[in-house]
mmCIF file of all heavy atoms in Angstrom:
data_model
loop_
_atom_site.group_PDB
_atom_site.id
_atom_site.type_symbol
_atom_site.label_atom_id
_atom_site.label_comp_id
_atom_site.label_asym_id
_atom_site.label_seq_id
_atom_site.Cartn_x
_atom_site.Cartn_y
_atom_site.Cartn_z
ATOM 1 N N LYS A 40 -6.267 4.198 28.337
ATOM 2 C CA LYS A 40 -4.956 3.546 28.348
ATOM 3 C C LYS A 40 -4.035 4.147 29.396
ATOM 4 O O LYS A 40 -3.045 3.530 29.802
ATOM 5 C CB LYS A 40 -4.314 3.626 26.968
ATOM 6 C CG LYS A 40 -4.999 2.749 25.933
ATOM 7 C CD LYS A 40 -4.319 2.848 24.570
ATOM 8 C CE LYS A 40 -5.005 1.932 23.558
ATOM 9 N NZ LYS A 40 -4.371 2.022 22.214
ATOM 10 N N LEU A 41 -4.371 5.374 29.832
ATOM 11 C CA LEU A 41 -3.595 6.019 30.886
ATOM 12 C C LEU A 41 -4.254 5.824 32.253
ATOM 13 O O LEU A 41 -3.818 6.403 33.248
ATOM 14 C CB LEU A 41 -3.459 7.517 30.592
ATOM 15 C CG LEU A 41 -2.693 7.888 29.320
ATOM 16 C CD1 LEU A 41 -2.750 9.383 29.098
ATOM 17 C CD2 LEU A 41 -1.243 7.410 29.395
ATOM 18 N N GLY A 42 -5.327 5.022 32.283
ATOM 19 C CA GLY A 42 -6.022 4.757 33.529
ATOM 20 C C GLY A 42 -6.867 5.916 34.007
ATOM 21 O O GLY A 42 -7.132 6.046 35.213
ATOM 22 N N MET A 43 -7.332 6.758 33.073
ATOM 23 C CA MET A 43 -8.083 7.948 33.443
ATOM 24 C C MET A 43 -9.287 8.097 32.513
ATOM 25 O O MET A 43 -9.526 7.264 31.634
ATOM 26 C CB MET A 43 -7.174 9.182 33.393
ATOM 27 C CG MET A 43 -5.911 9.025 34.251
ATOM 28 S SD MET A 43 -4.822 10.454 34.220
ATOM 29 C CE MET A 43 -5.707 11.547 35.336
ATOM 30 N N GLU A 44 -10.068 9.195 32.685
ATOM 31 C CA GLU A 44 -11.258 9.446 31.882
ATOM 32 C C GLU A 44 -11.268 10.904 31.433
ATOM 33 O O GLU A 44 -10.640 11.775 32.041
ATOM 34 C CB GLU A 44 -12.534 9.155 32.684
ATOM 35 C CG GLU A 44 -12.691 7.720 33.151
ATOM 36 C CD GLU A 44 -12.977 6.758 32.013
ATOM 37 O OE1 GLU A 44 -13.412 7.226 30.935
ATOM 38 O OE2 GLU A 44 -12.776 5.532 32.210
ATOM 39 N N TRP A 45 -12.030 11.173 30.346
ATOM 40 C CA TRP A 45 -12.271 12.558 29.938
ATOM 41 C C TRP A 45 -13.122 13.259 31.001
ATOM 42 O O TRP A 45 -13.856 12.606 31.748
ATOM 43 C CB TRP A 45 -12.998 12.627 28.599
ATOM 44 C CG TRP A 45 -12.229 12.163 27.393
ATOM 45 C CD1 TRP A 45 -12.548 11.122 26.581
ATOM 46 C CD2 TRP A 45 -11.038 12.736 26.850
ATOM 47 N NE1 TRP A 45 -11.640 10.996 25.567
ATOM 48 C CE2 TRP A 45 -10.686 11.973 25.707
ATOM 49 C CE3 TRP A 45 -10.215 13.797 27.218
ATOM 50 C CZ2 TRP A 45 -9.575 12.256 24.928
ATOM 51 C CZ3 TRP A 45 -9.097 14.084 26.449
ATOM 52 C CH2 TRP A 45 -8.783 13.318 25.320
ATOM 53 N N SER A 46 -13.064 14.585 31.008
ATOM 54 C CA SER A 46 -13.845 15.394 31.943
ATOM 55 C C SER A 46 -14.866 16.227 31.179
ATOM 56 O O SER A 46 -14.814 16.341 29.951
ATOM 57 C CB SER A 46 -12.923 16.322 32.748
ATOM 58 O OG SER A 46 -11.948 15.574 33.441
ATOM 59 N N GLU A 47 -15.817 16.820 31.910
ATOM 60 C CA GLU A 47 -16.814 17.687 31.278
ATOM 61 C C GLU A 47 -16.250 19.060 30.965
ATOM 62 O O GLU A 47 -16.785 19.800 30.139
ATOM 63 C CB GLU A 47 -18.034 17.826 32.184
ATOM 64 C CG GLU A 47 -18.826 16.530 32.331
ATOM 65 C CD GLU A 47 -20.083 16.721 33.137
ATOM 66 O OE1 GLU A 47 -20.380 17.879 33.528
ATOM 67 O OE2 GLU A 47 -20.791 15.725 33.375
ATOM 68 N N LYS A 48 -15.172 19.442 31.604
ATOM 69 C CA LYS A 48 -14.514 20.719 31.335
ATOM 70 C C LYS A 48 -13.034 20.572 31.641
ATOM 71 O O LYS A 48 -12.587 19.555 32.184
ATOM 72 C CB LYS A 48 -15.135 21.836 32.171
ATOM 73 C CG LYS A 48 -15.073 21.611 33.662
ATOM 74 C CD LYS A 48 -15.761 22.752 34.398
ATOM 75 C CE LYS A 48 -15.682 22.527 35.923
ATOM 76 N NZ LYS A 48 -16.311 23.648 36.666
ATOM 77 N N GLY A 49 -12.291 21.589 31.277
ATOM 78 C CA GLY A 49 -10.848 21.540 31.481
ATOM 79 C C GLY A 49 -10.113 21.961 30.229
ATOM 80 O O GLY A 49 -10.469 22.962 29.592
ATOM 81 N N HIS A 50 -9.113 21.191 29.822
ATOM 82 C CA HIS A 50 -8.286 21.513 28.667
ATOM 83 C C HIS A 50 -8.834 20.785 27.440
ATOM 84 O O HIS A 50 -9.006 19.565 27.449
ATOM 85 C CB HIS A 50 -6.834 21.115 28.922
ATOM 86 C CG HIS A 50 -6.264 21.716 30.186
ATOM 87 N ND1 HIS A 50 -6.204 23.074 30.393
ATOM 88 C CD2 HIS A 50 -5.779 21.122 31.312
ATOM 89 C CE1 HIS A 50 -5.669 23.310 31.586
ATOM 90 N NE2 HIS A 50 -5.408 22.138 32.171
ATOM 91 N N LEU A 51 -9.093 21.542 26.379
ATOM 92 C CA LEU A 51 -9.714 20.993 25.168
ATOM 93 C C LEU A 51 -8.795 20.000 24.475
ATOM 94 O O LEU A 51 -7.602 20.256 24.292
ATOM 95 C CB LEU A 51 -10.055 22.130 24.211
ATOM 96 C CG LEU A 51 -10.702 21.751 22.873
ATOM 97 C CD1 LEU A 51 -12.073 21.134 23.104
ATOM 98 C CD2 LEU A 51 -10.807 22.973 21.963
#
Side-chain angles (χ1 to χ4, degrees):
K40 290 181 179 179
L41 296 175
M43 305 180 78
E44 298 290 341
W45 292 118
S46 302
E47 292 185 4
K48 59 182 181 178
H50 305 301
L51 179 65

